[in-house]
Amino acid sequence: MTNIRAEIVAVGTELLLGQIADTNAQWISQRLAAIGINVHHHAVVGDNLQRVEEQFKLSNERSDVIIVTGGLGPTEDDLTREAFQKLSGMEIVEHEPSMKKIKAYFAKQKIDMTPNNRKQARVFADADILDNQTGMAPGMIVPYGDKTWIFLPGVPHEMKRMMANDILPYLQRLLGEDTIIKSVMLRFIGIGESRLEHELQDLIQQQTNPTIAPLAQNEGIATRLTAKAATDEEALKLIERTKQDVLDKVGEHYYGEDEQTLQASVLELLKDQGKSVAAAESLTGGMFIDRLIAIPGASHVCRGGIVCYDTKVKENVLRVPSDLISQYGTVSEPCASVMAANVSSLMDADIGISFTGVAGPGSSEGHPAGTVFITIHEKSGKQQTEKYNFYGDRQTIRKQTVLKGYELLFNLLK
Amino acid sequence: MTNIRAEIVAVGTELLLGQIADTNAQWISQRLAAIGINVHHHAVVGDNLQRVEEQFKLSNERSDVIIVTGGLGPTEDDLTREAFQKLSGMEIVEHEPSMKKIKAYFAKQKIDMTPNNRKQARVFADADILDNQTGMAPGMIVPYGDKTWIFLPGVPHEMKRMMANDILPYLQRLLGEDTIIKSVMLRFIGIGESRLEHELQDLIQQQTNPTIAPLAQNEGIATRLTAKAATDEEALKLIERTKQDVLDKVGEHYYGEDEQTLQASVLELLKDQGKSVAAAESLTGGMFIDRLIAIPGASHVCRGGIVCYDTKVKENVLRVPSDLISQYGTVSEPCASVMAANVSSLMDADIGISFTGVAGPGSSEGHPAGTVFITIHEKSGKQQTEKYNFYGDRQTIRKQTVLKGYELLFNLLK
């Protein structure tokens, strides 16, 4: 099938009440776009059997592939299976391996399993069952007439894993055309969206295969290259050539591909160079080092950190001299400098990085919210301190500070 | 009209490509829920005349009020007006005041107005026109048969202003009933969704005003009580009575209402009791203390923390005896115990909390991923250590650990 009309349906009253946002639809749409599948509709419907059934009927008429998220949980409100059964008449059975897993979970947690949890192991008899590696309810691929129905949990990390492991490869086989579509996301830091688009303007206009699409991201910015070709090899070759053209223009801001995070790039550079890092965090409160430890394998290069939110902790644990603090304040280059040096020696790390500043709301020590000092200290004694004026609420300022810390560290190591 | 069925339709291919998220639907849904209007559907459709028309036809059949965002701009892709005209046959005219404003804008910017900008001043002849205070295309309220169509720009800040200034007051008049709707969210920790529903089953079934709806949340679980009454006072009284019934059953797990987070509840309890806290974090890597510091005012009670991911940091900074580590390992009750005691004395905190365990992937010191010890140490010397076996990937285990830490701290302080 070369032209698949896809539709994404989310089931859940909490979405219609605005209690949560349907972030799944956007994420899935990006992935489908990358393999060349056209999404024609997003729909959200509440936990109401009749309305879910009506929505499913409509979706079945107008789309070839219908991806449903949510409504597979244990409660009475979870009605996705029932609604599709009313539409299709398909038999529902208990899936032994899933039931075993659910029982094992409750046994391990030493909690009694309430009877409604059984429901999560119920699947359509004809379905391909998708193992849920991080949750309970399995996913399903259900062929129905000439349509394909895909049922996934609403919990984003469970859904994403099944999409990546099972659904996208399945859909690529379903596309079954001679053309192969490959795409790669190139990630950049330290350059804005309009600047990137400006630098790449000519390339974007001249280039049709691969296409080049800039995308603003949570952390930095990315550009997606999408190539069509007869073979995998040829598609990759096309991408490689255009990637080189892009990097010739903005390569100094490039840090990684696809799902690579800036933190992971920094971690790899640290590993490659056999260097360890420790952090002294005041306003960032542990967020910097947390993001590194989030990555498997961080233990090889990450010593740890001191969260010195309190001035007394800066003095007593990090040994920042109290007369330095009374002379310059804690929001100052000298304080940042000593924090970075002392955390690196205290934790025997090759690199010490420090963060001190005003997260807000409101100013501190005469500095407005957003005033931030970051120091990077190397064992050799070499130091770099930068001052920033970030803008936004408390969390925005804290997150910008952490991101900037990774950018500085990346630029030092690359 | 006492029971309005509302629907929110977003028009824009960029949404179906996943380039942007439909945050408008969530925002509008929250506002409609607050005035007691039921949203039955969200739909997203691309910039394709036929599909937009089909969507509008469907929406007109199944809903009373249809709120459309997007597709009112100047480009060829903006097709909302054309699609509704095909459905309704309504005449479109140029709106003089809007045209004047658009011309004035271009004059002021000293840019030539391209002819397609004229399009933005085109409105339905029978529409109520809503002034766009921060953009160009006006909004419209269009009565059509017994249905009400509302057209708004897709740009969030333009849409939000029209919703607040014009649409919500209009819809409240349309509701035209004496009934007031109030709702409250009760938040719980330490109880699962299925268990909560089980405990409240009788209440949920007997109770129609207020209604009781359990909802899984990122952190713990919540239940929404929604009451209808003639006056504010009466609605609040109904809610108060049912809240009491709910708390009689599961009150020991209750931590707050509405947007209150567990961290904020813990922070308030610490403040009320004049107690300070410090954390020693191994596998959680700073995440525990970061979440407290994220809240404005944390400085009064939050001393800071030691991220002791590395064994050497446990020994050299936190002074965990190395023979204790060689005898019991770092993933052990004795290690957790000393970590909590020492961080509280090192940082002069009333309460020290420690986290040590295996985040995975893979086991460590012979313990499988998910094995976690948490100790709470009080200045008096009183200690509590708990062992857990969490399930999931690295980040899931780390997040569950942090959440459990807050639950233990909450139970200690409440």
Side-chain angles (χ1 to χ4, degrees), chain A residues 159-233:
Chain A
M159 177 281 291
K160 286 178 185 176
R161 206 175 268 246
M162 289 183 198
M163 277 295 297
N165 291 350
D166 303 303
I167 307 300
L168 291 173
Y170 174 87
L171 291 175
Q172 276 180 307
R173 286 195 301 276
L174 197 67
L175 275 166
E177 52 180 24
D178 305 336
T179 324
I180 300 239
I181 292 169
K182 286 267 165 199
S183 86
V184 69
M185 189 97 105
L186 307 179
R187 296 183 176 274
F188 303 90
I189 190 74
I191 182 169
E193 186 179 8
S194 51
R195 166 62 53 186
L196 184 84
E197 200 170 310
H198 182 78
E199 296 288 341
L200 300 181
Q201 204 165 28
D202 294 346
L203 267 182
I204 291 172
Q205 277 166 7
Q206 291 157 19
Q207 195 71 55
T208 54
N209 188 23
T211 55
I212 305 173
L215 299 164
Q217 299 288 303
N218 278 335
E219 312 230 313
I221 174 155
T223 228
R224 186 188 287 280
L225 311 184
T226 307
K228 290 190 183 196
T231 65
D232 248 26
E233 254 186 342

